[in-house]
Amino acid sequence: MASKEGGNGTVGRRLAYVFPHALPVVLAYLVIGIPCGVLEAQIGFGPLLALAFSSTFYTGAGQFMLPQMVLAGMPLPTTIASIVLVSSRQLLYSAGLAPYLGKGSRLDAFALAATVTDESFGVNLDRFAGDAGWDVRDGLLLNLLCMSAWALANAAGVLVGGMVSLPTALMSFGMTSIFVCLLLGQLHDGSTYVAALVSALLVLVCKLADLQGAAVLLGAAGGVVCGLAWQAWGRSGGIRS
């Protein structure tokens, strides 16, 4: 493994030190970002807009949701609220990394927290915990490498979507896969089972009641509230998760 000389090496050495850890995430983002770009092309995104959007609104699940909800005719407030709820988990990632950010500058720590996602959080947490030479700038560089791969893949997907007619349903499978992976990764205690079950039931009830526009929002909000309530009850001695 390349040495960084205690975190004070040149840009080239820092890149050589960080890139091998970022590579698995970069490759995954290149693969899954293209289907996301194809979906974005369906709602009128061009390559430059996809690149800019992916560089500033950095959430894979949210970006898959946006074209799906627009194409389904969901109201704008419902679309925005649903994406915010899905993306809110990233606040927890920033909190999880907070104990390791004290040695870096406030600007670097803020930038790292603002660019972290599911995958880069996992890599950074592992490196901070197991590598004394890994510092805030290394974590930020890893995040930026991952973000760049995602943004470029989205732009490439928009180009592909504009040149080749691909079934939207096939591209939509990527979004379903993301949420299945997120769900399975979170099913580790009673509160997450309750949240998943309540969300599914509320969405079903809304669909049966012909409340299509509110189904996702009410399902997500209800699941979160019930999951938190179950967790609080367990901590108070009612049920141990």
Side-chain angles (χ1 to χ4, degrees):
M1 183 179 296
S3 173
K4 184 176 54 96
E5 295 185 356
N8 297 315
T10 64
V11 173
R13 286 178 178 172
R14 186 180 293 272
L15 182 61
Y17 178 67
V18 172
F19 185 73
H21 302 292
L23 184 58
V25 179
V26 166
L27 294 176
Y29 281 1
L30 290 175
V31 172
I32 203 169
I34 292 176
C36 186
V38 171
L39 286 174
E40 289 167 343
Q42 301 291 321
I43 59 172
F45 274 38
L48 291 179
L49 178 57
L51 186 67
F53 187 66
S54 302
S55 300
T56 54
F57 183 69
Y58 183 38
T59 165
Q63 283 182 245
F64 268 99
M65 285 181 68
L66 176 63
Q68 289 289 304
M69 298 187 77
V70 170
L71 291 171
M74 294 291 184
L76 182 60
T78 299
T79 300
I80 293 174
S82 299
I83 292 174
V84 168
L85 281 171
V86 167
S87 305
S88 63
R89 69 187 187 281
Q90 293 177 220
L91 295 173
L92 300 177
Y93 298 156
S94 301
L97 292 173
Y100 303 102
L101 305 184
K103 295 182 180 180
S105 71
R106 290 186 177 181
L107 181 60
D108 288 340
F110 173 81
L112 186 151
T115 54
V116 70
T117 58
D118 304 90
E119 295 78 13
S120 63
F121 167 75
V123 177
N124 266 316
L125 190 63
D126 178 70
R127 300 316 302 164
F128 277 124
D131 184 352
W134 191 265
D135 60 26
V136 175
R137 289 192 174 183
D138 294 324
L140 175 58
L141 178 57
L142 182 139
N143 287 357
L144 294 178
L145 288 170
C146 296
M147 175 185 285
S148 299
W150 175 255
L152 290 171
N154 271 258
V158 170
L159 285 172
V160 171
M163 294 186 296
V164 181
S165 179
L166 295 173
T168 303
L170 180 62
M171 298 298 102
S172 301
F173 179 73
M175 183 184 75
T176 304
S177 301
I178 284 179
F179 282 102
V180 169
C181 291
L182 288 174
L183 177 61
L184 293 177
Q186 293 300 315
L187 290 177
H188 55 76
D189 60 33
S191 62
T192 50
Y193 281 102
V194 169
L197 179 60
V198 170
S199 295
L201 289 176
L202 284 176
V203 169
L204 178 60
V205 169
C206 289
K207 295 287 186 180
L208 293 175
D210 201 26
L211 298 174
Q212 306 292 334
V216 175
L217 177 59
L218 292 177
V224 169
V225 170
C226 291
L228 290 174
W230 181 274
Q231 189 176 62
W233 185 31
R235 287 175 177 172
S236 67
I239 295 290
R240 291 190 179 276
S241 296

